[in-house]
Amino acid sequence: LHCPAQLRVEGPGHPVTATMGQDVVLPCHLSPQRDAHTLEIRWIRDDLSETVHHYRNGEDLYGEQMEAYVGRTELVRDGLSAGSLDWRITGLRPSDDGLYFCTVGDADAYDKAIVDLEVSAPFFHNAQPWMVALALVLVLLAVSIGLGVYLYRKQ
């Protein structure tokens, strides 16, 4: 009796952090490793249950892809034969922040893993609100001092 090998999908186990405007690869892989070319791979936005990337029978299918992701995503093909299901998003937007399901299936089995993507703004990466306020105050102070000196000199 042939028992179909169970598919197991594993995510990175920690949030993936990236900066707005950058490209990011969300990692996900089969365990144990096996060739993923023949599998159906679908990346889904968790909160919206919408497909952000769909791969089947060796091709990327863009028919169901969410509008916001059109032209910005690709399955990283070079790892497929080793069971890697990594998915790349280019030109990150704040709206890309959130949970993604990496789902894989064939006729016998189905599994999914969660990848948490955290998109941060470039400068305020770890900035606290008081840091932002302080920076603004210093900028305003510098501008007003500069203006004062300029006006004083003009007299």
Side-chain angles (χ1 to χ4, degrees):
L1 186 70
H2 175 65
C3 181
Q6 270 302 303
L7 277 175
R8 285 228 355 265
V9 183
E10 292 182 354
H14 57 82
V16 175
T17 53
T19 307
M20 215 170 82
Q22 281 185 340
D23 299 353
V24 69
V25 172
L26 301 189
C28 181
H29 64 274
L30 296 175
S31 167
Q33 287 190 355
R34 58 174 273 198
D35 189 342
H37 279 97
T38 57
L39 298 172
E40 181 162 2
I41 303 164
R42 199 187 283 264
W43 280 84
I44 297 172
R45 265 310 286 256
D46 168 36
D47 49 342
L48 308 167
S49 299
E50 293 233 31
T51 297
V52 290
H53 202 93
H54 187 192
Y55 168 94
R56 190 174 67 215
N57 296 334
E59 23 174 20
D60 296 304
L61 306 172
Y62 292 107
E64 305 162 50
Q65 189 176 37
M66 251 177 95
E67 192 69 39
Y69 292 86
V70 171
R72 300 173 52 225
T73 70
E74 63 170 328
L75 199 65
V76 182
R77 301 285 188 96
D78 44 12
L80 277 175
S81 49
S84 161
L85 314 168
D86 294 3
W87 178 61
R88 179 182 286 116
I89 312 177
T90 58
L92 277 179
R93 304 169 181 173
S95 57
D96 295 334
D97 189 274
L99 295 179
Y100 292 84
F101 284 138
C102 166
T103 74
V104 173
D106 62 11
D108 307 313
Y110 170 88
D111 194 24
K112 66 183 178 189
I114 296 182
V115 183
D116 181 6
L117 173 62
E118 293 179 357
V119 179
S120 55
F123 168 68
F124 302 114
H125 184 51
N126 291 321
Q128 306 295 327
W130 67 265
M131 290 180 181
V132 178
L134 183 65
L136 283 173
V137 166
L138 290 175
V139 167
L140 288 172
L141 196 63
V143 167
S144 47
I145 289 173
L147 203 62
V149 167
Y150 171 76
L151 292 172
Y152 178 78
R153 286 228 171 115
K154 248 184 107 172
Q155 283 176 4

